[in-house]
């Protein structure tokens, strides 16, 4: 469980996160939605400690992020997996080396076990026979999937994904969504996903938070979202004609 | 202005402090060390060879030209060549050239890793990016720079000998000159300098790479700044070390 209490984050004089509280539970996929520039990425990076927050607190299963020493922080981070919005693959390493990077650093697996684990993770994101290639040789969507494989390689306890299925075709996007939901339930992972994708929201959103102008504008489940009368949600979700029609029919 | 200087220095030393911390995995750091040794050190062999031979030759010719006096024995040309190569050319000038080559490489690599969030990715994994990305480079260059510079001294003198033998000085006079009044402490002094220079090149360039903000353009700008600043650092350190070690 991750507890977020009233966190704030500014860059210079612009306040991007203006006081957000939330709880993320294990075994649930928690989705964060919001329009471009709303502060989703900043929120996620604050959550993992890449941005130092100005005030508030973030607690990982009774461990407060701001009060950890170097070793405790490292220990916590080996329990995390993260997919960045821009993939952030190590471009001087092959795909297999990318996926097994954390295993090399932190596990005492044999070379063969590590290779097997890397290939297993790559298979789960529908990638085969790309292990020896470099990130620059893959398409954007393939890179995204490598990033997901890398994030799950250590069997994380906490998984953070910044738009994991942007840039993917609808079919692969569903494969990724299902994968994320599956491993979340199977390994009781606390999963937080930033997304724009309304399909994901409805398919895998156990709990959903809408961020607007740096504040939490709405919170609910995937079912709630279709019935709520909250203006911010209807504004955001039903900006597309398709969803307006679906709503009229439910 | 002054506060920005102090904060830059503060950030620099915090970076170094974090760089010198315990590796998460010796095996991975070892791999990184050999990789860095290869493309920061070994890859510089070619340029160091060419420059050293030619500059050694030019120094000899110019010295001969300036000492063109029947009262000064020819072997003085060899002594002068030897001293200028060992004391200044090889340790300082070659280090300056390496600051250009190696410094821009380090700042460019780390800078692009920063702007593409690869450094953040390392951090989220629990890897200390300061030590993983900087420490192996420091060790590699501090270890390899003295080797490169020793080679440069040797090749510079060979270049001088070759130039001399085209009629500037009789070869046996040149060889004789090389051996006269040879002070081996000069070599020690020069190699001590190169260790300091190697450390400066890596740490200053790493600083400029690590703290890039922005995109490709800023990476380029910071690579240039890395070369300029590490060159200035070398020149200043050279002066201080000469005062300290030679005078
Ligand atoms: N490092 C930074 N320095 C200054 N401002 C920043 C920084 N990172 C983000 N911002 C600002 O914070 C705001 C929120 O950005 P953020 O990246 O979180 O948006 P987002 O919700 O993830 O959008 P998108 O869906 O397009 O990815 C933006 O206005 C952005 O300009
Ligand atoms: Mg974003």
């Amino acid at each position: 469980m991750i507890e977020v209490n009233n966190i704030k984050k500014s860059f210079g004089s612009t306040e991007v996160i203006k006081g957000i509280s939330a709880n993320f539970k294990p075994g649930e996929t928690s989705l964060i939605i919001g329009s471009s520039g709303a502060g989703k990425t900043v929120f996620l990076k604050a959550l993992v400690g890449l941005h130092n927050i100005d005030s508030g607190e973030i607690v990982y299963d009774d461990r407060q992020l701001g009060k950890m020493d170097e070793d405790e922080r490292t220990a916590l981070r080996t329990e995390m997996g993260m997919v960045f919005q821009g993939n952030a693959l190590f471009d001087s390493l092959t795909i297999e080396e990318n996926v097994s990077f954390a295993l090399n650093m932190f596990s005492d697996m044999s070379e063969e076990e590590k290779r097997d684990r890397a290939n297993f993770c790559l298979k789960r994101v529908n990638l085969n026979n790309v292990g020896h290639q470099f990130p620059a040789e893959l398409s954007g969507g393939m890179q995204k999937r490598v990033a997901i494989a890398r994030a799950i390689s250590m069997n994380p306890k906490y998984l953070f994904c910044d738009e994991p299925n942007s840039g993917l075709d609808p079919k692969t996007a569903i494969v990724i969504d299902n994968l994320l939901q599956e491993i979340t339930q199977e390994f009781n992972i606390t999963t937080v996903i930033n997304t724009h994708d309304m399909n994901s929201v409805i398919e895998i959103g156990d709990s959903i938070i809408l961020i607007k102008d740096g504040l939490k504008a709405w919170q609910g489940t995937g079912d709630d979202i279709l019935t709520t009368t909250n203006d911010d949600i209807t504004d955001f979700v039903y900006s597309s004609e398709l969803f307006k029609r679906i709503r009229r029919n439910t | 202005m002054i506060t920005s200087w102090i904060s830059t220095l503060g950030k620099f030393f915090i970076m170094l402090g974090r760089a010198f911390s315990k590796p998460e995995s010796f095996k991975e750091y070892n791999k990184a060390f050999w990789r860095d040794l290869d493309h920061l050190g070994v890859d510089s062999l070619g340029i160091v060879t060419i420059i050293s031979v030619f500059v050694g030759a030019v120094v000899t010719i110019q010295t001969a030209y300036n000492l063109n006096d029947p009262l000064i024995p020819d072997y003085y040309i060899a002594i002068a060549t030897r001293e200028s190569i060992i004391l200044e050319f090889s340790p300082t000038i070659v280090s300056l050239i390496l600051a250009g080559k190696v410094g821009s490489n380090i700042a460019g690599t780390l800078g692009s890793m920063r702007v593409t969030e690869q450094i953040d990715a390392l951090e989220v994994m629990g890897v200390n990016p300061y030590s993983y990305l900087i420490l192996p480079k420091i060790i590699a260059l501090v270890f390899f720079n003295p080797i490169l510079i020793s080679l440069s001294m040797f090749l510079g003198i060979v270049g001088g000998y070759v130039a001399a033998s085209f009629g500037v000085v009789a070869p046996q006079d040149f060889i004789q000159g090389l051996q006269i009044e040879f002070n081996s402490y000069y070599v020690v002094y020069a190699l001590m300098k190169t260790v300091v220079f190697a450390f400066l090149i890596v740490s200053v360039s790493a600083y400029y790479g690590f703290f890039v903000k922005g995109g490709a353009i800023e990476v380029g700008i910071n690579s240039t700044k890395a070369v300029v600043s590490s060159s200035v650092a070398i020149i200043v350190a050279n002066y201080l070390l000469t005062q300290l070690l030679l005078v």
Side-chain angles (χ1 to χ4, degrees), chain A residues 41 45 48-50 70 73-74 77-78 80-82 84-93 98 101-102 104-106 111 114 150 160, chain B residues 18 21-29 31 35 39 109 112-114 116-130 132:
Chain A
T41 298
K45 285 191 174 177
V48 300
L50 284 175
E70 200 73 34
R73 196 177 268 244
T74 302
R77 287 199 159 144
T78 56
M80 288 180 178
M82 179 152 180
F84 287 80
Q85 192 165 1
N87 304 329
L89 296 178
F90 303 125
D91 48 21
S92 61
L93 302 181
N98 263 279
F101 191 88
N104 284 331
M105 277 287 178
F106 297 107
E111 291 302 317
K114 283 185 281 196
R150 184 177 70 177
F160 305 92
Chain B
R18 293 217 194 145
S21 61
K22 192 175 141 279
E24 293 84 12
S25 151
F26 278 101
K27 198 163 146 249
E28 289 309 301
Y29 276 63
K31 262 199 240 166
R35 209 165 41 220
H39 68 239
T109 310
S112 72
M113 288 187 76
R114 165 63 75 196
T116 56
E117 298 179 312
Q118 293 176 52
I119 291 181
D120 289 340
L122 283 172
E123 209 169 329
V124 176
M125 284 180 183
V127 177
N128 174 346
Y130 297 89
Y132 179 63

Side-chain angles (χ1 to χ4, degrees), chain B residues 85-88 90-92 95 141-154 184-199 238 241 245:
Chain B
I85 285 177
I86 290 179
L87 287 174
E88 273 316 303
S90 286
T92 310
S95 291
L141 209 64
V142 161
F143 167 75
F144 203 73
N145 214 25
I147 297 176
L148 266 179
I149 300 305
S150 307
L151 180 80
S152 161
M153 291 174 183
F154 172 74
S184 58
Y185 177 69
Y186 285 0
V187 177
V188 175
Y189 149 82
L191 293 183
M192 288 203 291
K193 288 207 296 192
T194 67
V195 168
V196 175
F197 296 164
F199 178 79
N238 186 35
L241 288 172
L245 297 174

Side-chain angles (χ1 to χ4, degrees), chain A residues 36-37 39-42 85 162-163 194 196:
Chain A
S36 187
K40 301 185 295 296
T41 298
V42 173
Q85 192 165 1
D162 201 347
E163 317 222 348
N194 282 355
H196 282 142

